[in-house]
Amino acid sequence: MSDGELDVLAGAGERVPAHLADALRGLGLIDHHVHGCFTEAIDRARFEDCLNEGSPEPMPGFMTQFDSQIGFAIRRWCAPLVGAPPLVDANGYWAARSALAPAELNARMLRAAGVEHWVIDTGFQGGTISGLDRMAEESGAPASEILRLETMAEELMRRDTAPGDFADAFRAALVEALPRIVGVKTICAYRCGFDIDWRRPADEEVVRAVAAWIARDGENPRLDDPLLAAFLVHAAAELGLPIQIHVGFGDRDLDLHRTNPMLLLGLLREPSIARSSIMLLHCYPYHREAGYLAQAFANVYYDIGLAINYVGARAPHVVAEALELGPFAKQLYSSDAFGVPEFHLLGSTLWRRSMGLVLGRWVADGDWSESDAIRVARMIGADNARRAYGLG
């Protein structure tokens, strides 16, 4: 196998019907939640730190992150893209990877992912990773922007926005951003959790909350007030924007038990929220709850991005669970890749492979037709995101 060639269904054999396999290999995905790649070379310690989503601390000296499901998946699926054999050992993989310049490494991984449109959250570490233009250049696919609500609010505070002006200034900033964005995202999961009062705050309540925020944080604002978190989401809903919400698995800044999407019922029952598509991101280990919410509320969508990278060889099991209850028209593909381009490739590879193995089994058992399996794969891989974000 030469550089740039990857058969995502290698070894699947007769478990995946031929037409389904061909459809999955050729499907141009829409990655509806993703970040850019590092633009400068990183050392091995930084790389291995990126393979641990949970801890912000340096890796202990007694272990390597290559000894994990995601580490094995990288050695299996990313090695051919750096000119190494599948399952090359960790040192061999790192040596082959290190021989490539960041732009070449990014281009190889991004193009092999087979993504036809990136929907990029630009609100995290924007100075160290590629933005929309560079992602489009290196991947050969267009990119659209997701605006992070907390980042916009914090930028307004750094401009010394007065408490009495904040609500209107935030709404005006959202309107100004409309021509360049396709949706917004909140990281309230990290800042306050979901077990808050989700009613729409009155502007006078926002004034008091902003004044308290200024008094507490001064020149380094970090929005973690529950009332302001609710205000941001309701302000976005007033414009009918798709609203992405981080759910479940993430680093230890969040309290995982407070990110169960069932705690969003108060928000989802607010009449004004019904005008916006609510995009539940990642969801693991609450992907079954997310499937229920997608069934219960017409405007709720969900994905299992991020998780399938980290569970590696277990990805087909998570994909199968995500397909249990939620309507297929309400599921989306994402990688939530950040920084290292291996994540962009793995998201695509493990999703295609998992869909092939899961749907292929149902076809073989006579529960699904092969044509239905292909149709559902296309819905989840691209068609649903195209509709929900108005991508044309």
Side-chain angles (χ1 to χ4, degrees), residues 15-34:
R15 291 178 290 171
V16 185
H19 294 303
L20 175 60
D22 289 343
L24 285 165
R25 290 187 182 103
L27 177 57
L29 299 176
I30 295 179
D31 193 337
H32 94 109
H33 181 69
V34 66

Side-chain angles (χ1 to χ4, degrees), residues 89 91 111 137 199 247 268 291 293 337:
D89 65 27
N91 291 335
R111 291 173 186 265
E137 178 184 356
R199 66 182 175 81
V247 171
L268 298 174
L293 291 173

Side-chain angles (χ1 to χ4, degrees), residues 317-352:
H317 301 269
V318 177
V319 166
E321 290 171 353
L323 290 167
E324 287 174 353
L325 190 62
F328 305 134
K330 311 289 285 302
Q331 302 185 38
L332 305 171
Y333 167 75
S334 85
S335 65
D336 191 34
F338 173 86
V340 296
E342 284 88 343
F343 291 175
H344 299 76
L345 177 68
L346 278 185
S348 165
T349 299
L350 293 176
W351 182 85
R352 293 177 201 269

